[in-house]
Amino acid sequence: MPDQLLHQPPPDAPAPPPSEAALYSREKMKWLIQIGVGSMVLLLLLFVLQKMGRMRDHGEREIYNNARQVGMALFEFETEYGHFPESSTVAEVKRKGGSLLTLGGHSSNDLFAQLFAAGIAQSESMFYAKSKASKKPDAIWNSDATVLAHGECGFAYIYGLASTGDPDTPLIFGPVIPGTTTLDRKSNDGKAAVLRMDNSVTRLPIDSSGKIIYKGMDLLDPRQPFWHGKAPDVRWPK
């Protein structure tokens, strides 16, 4: 019988214990797998957080950019017609632009419609301010029923102002919940976008009752110095 067969273990003999090198190799492999899985989870979490941050940043940038665009349109309108949109400008806007829109004045939607009738505004999207009752504008504005329809406008408008006034005076603000006189505190990270008479857009907190707070008071409080003791005439979105 060959010598090597004499040293063969019996078939039912238990396997020899793994060597220290084998144990170390197994532990190292487990450790590498755990690190790999953990890294994949961490990368996935970072990707999700980054995407959420981008979405939030986009939503916040949108309202401020929209407010600036509305501001530029309003100042262009004032340059051409001598006033910001109001009842006294309707006839001249219709005469110059030939618009068949009614151009009322009860809501900010109605007054902003003058910007379309004058050929200054070419898109409804800049009047959008995301809130729980808003909807994306449909780019249809050729009739009273379609121009800035309910939900497409989220900015309130202060009626009867002039650019020669106090530079700090608010001219428009949002996001206002369409059909209400309340700002949506759950949108835009609890902040309001306020366009001032100097054409700057500032970010102010919205309190639990849906009011904009400026220097410890409601922005619309007549005691604010830029109102000179008189309550502002706010036209709210329909």
Side-chain angles (χ1 to χ4, degrees), residues 87-138:
S87 58
S88 68
T89 56
V90 170
E92 185 67 4
V93 168
K94 285 187 174 183
R95 187 188 69 80
K96 282 188 175 182
S99 176
L100 298 178
L101 296 173
T102 301
L103 303 179
H106 295 296
S107 68
S108 58
N109 307 54
D110 295 334
L111 291 157
F112 290 147
Q114 291 192 42
L115 300 174
F116 290 94
I120 293 172
Q122 300 295 327
S123 171
E124 292 182 311
S125 61
M126 67 183 182
F127 299 95
Y128 176 74
K130 183 180 179 182
S131 72
K132 63 183 180 182
S134 65
K135 65 178 181 180
K136 284 284 189 178
D138 56 13

Side-chain angles (χ1 to χ4, degrees), residues 14-60:
S19 66
E20 288 187 9
L23 288 173
Y24 174 76
S25 178
R26 290 179 189 175
E27 289 300 318
K28 184 177 180 181
M29 182 60 67
K30 288 181 182 178
W31 180 71
L32 290 173
I33 290 173
Q34 289 174 352
I35 289 210
V37 171
S39 298
M40 289 178 64
V41 171
L42 181 60
L43 287 173
L44 180 61
L45 179 61
L46 289 173
F47 173 77
V48 171
L49 290 175
Q50 186 179 43
K51 188 172 183 181
M52 289 175 65
R54 284 176 181 171
M55 290 173 65
R56 184 183 65 186
D57 289 345
H58 172 74
E60 291 185 9

Side-chain angles (χ1 to χ4, degrees), residues 150 176-183 236-238:
H150 173 70
V176 179
I177 302 170
T180 75
T181 58
T182 303
L183 282 96
W236 301 92
K238 66 181 180 183

